[in-house]
């Protein structure tokens, strides 16, 4: 498509048109062939109707600027000139680079706007009963200064002792299976013990169990009782024994 076929609505201003001509002809923006670019620019303006020209004063001002630059560059340089003359195109080049920068930035923002238009936001529809829900028991209040890591440390110590008790010879004999131990049953057992004692030493509770499975289930039962708020944990002093207190 030749320059004369371009419609004015395609360009936002004279700088936009100049950038199009530079890109179309693959000109170096820092070394614009001002004679050639001016001819193409004027050829484009010649094809505008009188009605178009009335609306395009900026385009005409740029045409005058191009002609002025062209005239300066066609004039011979004085032989006695000792200082280097400024390039008449310098101001135009700066304006074109600045315009190009803002144009690309606006295109980037336009892409971001289009991407944002594809996003949908759902209004909050959480039921009031869910919003107002609060845990019946605050684990921090039940456990106090005692950490789950400390409970786990005692559990692992008890498990190690159980492993040390294993007879390396008899352990290879066939296993005698027992009935499955349920966490719920162990919780009931611990609850029953606490009713009479009110407090139980955590280490003692695990040590009295026999077999890995009993120890594991007892440990899980204690954690479940703590979670349900049936049992509180306390430690009277640093490195002291951990005690389970009944809250029921």
């Amino acid at each position: 498509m030749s320059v004369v076929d371009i419609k004015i609505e395609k360009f936002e201003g004279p700088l936009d048109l100049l950038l199009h001509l530079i890109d179309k002809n693959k000109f170096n923006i820092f070394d614009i062939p001002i004679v050639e670019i001016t001819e193409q620019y004027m050829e484009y303006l010649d094809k505008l109707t009188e009605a178009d020209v009335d609306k395009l004063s900026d385009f005409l001002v740029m045409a005058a600027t191009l002609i002025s630059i062209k005239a300066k560059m066609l004039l011979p340089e004085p032989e006695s000139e000792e200082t280097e003359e400024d390039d008449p195109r310098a101001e135009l080049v700066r304006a074109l680079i600045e315009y190009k920068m803002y144009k690309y930035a606006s295109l980037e923002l336009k892409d971001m706007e289009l991407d944002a238009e594809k996003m949908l936001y759902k209004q909050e529809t959480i039921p009031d009963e869910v919003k107002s829900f609060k845990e019946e028991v605050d684990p921090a209040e039940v456990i106090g200064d005692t950490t789950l890591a400390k409970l786990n440390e005692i559990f692992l110590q008890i498990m190690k002792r159980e492993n040390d008790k294993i007879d390396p010879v008899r352990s290879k004999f066939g296993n005698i299976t027992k009935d499955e131990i349920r966490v719920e049953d162990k919780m009931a057992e611990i609850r029953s013990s606490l009713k009479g004692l009110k407090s139980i030493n955590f280490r003692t509770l695990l040590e009295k169990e026999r077999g890995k499975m009993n120890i594991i289930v007892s440990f899980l039962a204690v954690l479940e009782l703590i979670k349900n708020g049936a049992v509180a944990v306390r430690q009277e002093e640093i490195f002291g024994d951990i005690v389970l207190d009944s809250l029921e």
Side-chain angles (χ1 to χ4, degrees):
M1 182 175 65
S2 64
V3 175
V4 296
D5 294 327
I6 302 172
K7 299 297 182 182
I8 191 62
E9 289 80 5
K10 182 177 179 181
F11 304 106
E12 298 179 0
L15 289 174
D16 203 28
L17 173 56
L18 280 177
L19 279 178
H20 168 75
L21 295 175
I22 290 170
D23 291 340
K24 180 177 183 294
N25 291 280
K26 296 185 170 69
F27 291 150
N28 182 353
I29 196 171
F30 295 100
D31 187 20
I32 302 172
I34 200 68
V35 174
E36 197 169 343
I37 204 76
T38 302
E39 289 176 356
Q40 291 191 21
Y41 187 90
M42 296 305 297
E43 182 182 356
Y44 171 78
L45 292 186
D46 287 343
K47 297 301 177 181
L48 298 178
T49 65
E50 185 176 349
D52 292 328
V53 173
D54 291 338
K55 302 174 184 178
L56 301 174
S57 59
D58 289 343
F59 284 84
L60 296 177
V61 171
M62 178 57 72
T65 301
L66 290 172
I67 293 172
S68 175
I69 295 173
K70 175 182 175 183
K72 289 179 181 179
M73 296 191 68
L74 291 176
L75 290 174
E77 297 181 4
E79 295 181 2
S80 61
E81 189 71 34
E82 295 181 359
T83 58
E84 185 177 349
E85 281 278 344
D86 290 336
D87 191 332
R89 302 168 297 178
E91 190 62 34
L92 177 62
V93 170
R94 281 194 293 270
L96 284 168
I97 292 174
E98 184 177 356
Y99 176 79
K100 190 172 186 179
M101 179 181 67
Y102 283 113
K103 179 179 180 180
Y104 286 169
S106 67
L107 293 175
E108 187 70 22
L109 291 173
K110 183 63 177 178
D111 289 341
M112 293 172 64
E113 179 186 7
L114 293 175
D115 290 340
E117 289 176 354
K118 299 175 184 177
M119 298 181 183
L120 297 176
Y121 296 91
K122 181 179 178 294
Q123 293 294 327
E124 184 180 287
T125 55
I126 303 175
D128 292 337
E129 56 269 22
V130 175
K131 284 184 182 180
S132 59
F133 174 78
K134 296 181 77 174
E135 290 279 357
E136 294 182 6
V137 179
D138 184 357
E141 292 182 2
V142 175
I143 295 178
D145 295 333
T146 306
T147 64
L148 290 178
K150 182 63 178 176
L151 297 177
N152 185 55
E153 180 185 341
I154 295 174
F155 168 72
L156 293 177
Q157 290 175 0
I158 303 299
M159 288 296 295
K160 184 178 183 304
R161 291 181 187 176
E162 284 298 310
N163 290 332
D164 293 341
K165 294 178 184 178
I166 296 176
D167 188 321
V169 177
R170 294 186 180 183
S171 63
K172 296 181 181 179
F173 294 167
N175 294 326
I176 300 175
T177 58
K178 297 182 180 180
D179 293 336
E180 181 182 357
I181 307 169
R182 301 194 315 149
V183 173
E184 292 80 1
D185 295 338
K186 188 60 67 174
M187 289 171 63
E189 183 181 325
I190 295 173
R191 270 194 172 106
S192 178
S193 299
L194 281 170
K195 281 183 180 179
L197 301 174
K198 288 298 179 182
S199 298
I200 296 179
N201 186 292
F202 179 63
R203 185 185 295 274
T204 303
L205 175 68
L206 294 185
E207 285 180 339
K208 75 180 183 64
E209 299 293 343
R210 292 292 177 266
K212 289 184 180 180
M213 187 55 64
N214 274 297
I215 295 173
I216 293 172
V217 174
S218 295
F219 182 67
L220 294 176
V222 169
L223 295 180
E224 195 65 28
L225 288 170
I226 294 172
K227 176 184 174 184
N228 294 340
V231 170
V233 182
R234 62 183 169 87
Q235 189 175 27
E236 297 295 339
E237 57 186 14
I238 299 176
F239 305 121
D241 288 339
I242 293 177
V243 179
L244 307 178
D245 293 326
S246 174
L247 297 178
E248 297 179 325

